[in-house]
Amino acid sequence: MSNHDDPDNDPWRGHNKSLPDLNDVFSDNFRRFKQILPGGSPSSFVILIIIILLAGVGWTALYTVPSDSVAVVQRFGQYIKNVPPGLHLKLPFGIDTAKIVPVKRQLKQEFGFATPGANDPYQSPKGQEGQRETQMVTGDLNAALVEWVVQYRISDPVKYLFEVREPSETLRYVSESVMREVVGDRTVDEVITIGRQEIESEALLKMQALSTKYVMGISIDQVQLKNINPPKPVQESFNEVNQAQQEKEKLINEARRDYNKVIPLALGEKDQRIREADGYRLKRINEAEGDTARFNALYAEYIKAPEVTKRRIYIETLQAVLPGIQSKIIIDESTNNVLPLLNLDAQQGAKP
């Protein structure tokens, strides 16, 4: 006997029984559901259905837009309008959808490192991607590990949502491409030391141009370089070279400081001595010219009256000499011996 002929295997327990009536099944379940309702009346069931519908409408129609964002409303997937911050209504049950876009918030993307607690999945690199995106080759065929940050805002939420697929991820690719291009045009010394500001400015301009070209709806505000290091195998040697260069610059600055301190002082002393010599020269020349003029004038008067001039010169000389002599002895021309007139003891005790 086959399994099909076995009445125990028949789900309807035999071929003689007919299939259950669907109306009877629905009526039986509806009767049981009414017994669950308070009062068990059909009106209570209608009220419960209305309450559920109203709750569904309120849950799916009300939404709140934060103060730093706008909502982009779509109806069956088609863009309708932008909604400002606040409490708003939309068509319920998925007819209208509202996507919140933070247009007033400054966002950032980090390359080579990650800030803990970031909510944006595209803010920080994933896994080994961070180590890969920092490895760059400079223009002089050296390697460098470059870390940087891009700060941006969403300027046009419609373009941000609908023009480019995954605009945040696209921005990461654009930023990495531009930074590799800018770093590849410079030497490793410029990248690590003196060329940081130029790299930031050039990268910012190129990123802004590409974001405008790709219609990403993003406004890039700043590109800031963080840590820039040589590869780890040569990092210690590079630090020693960098330290030696810094020591060299330090010694050069100290030498310039001493030069600026000593040389102006020496130049000032030189000018002072030259002016003193010029003054002394003019003084001696003027004195010599004055003496010459006085002698010539005296000689002219001497020629006119030799005896008178000679006597006047003699008297003027005595007037200049005699006040300096403390003791004076005046004798007659006929006196031959002056010893009786000299008091030698008094002369010896007198002060010079």
Side-chain angles (χ1 to χ4, degrees), residues 296-310:
N296 291 332
L298 185 62
Y299 180 70
E301 296 298 326
Y302 175 78
I303 293 175
K304 294 177 181 178
E307 294 298 330
V308 176
T309 304
K310 187 185 299 184

Side-chain angles (χ1 to χ4, degrees), residues 55-68:
V57 169
W59 181 262
T60 58
L62 288 173
Y63 66 98
T64 302
V65 182
S67 59
D68 61 349

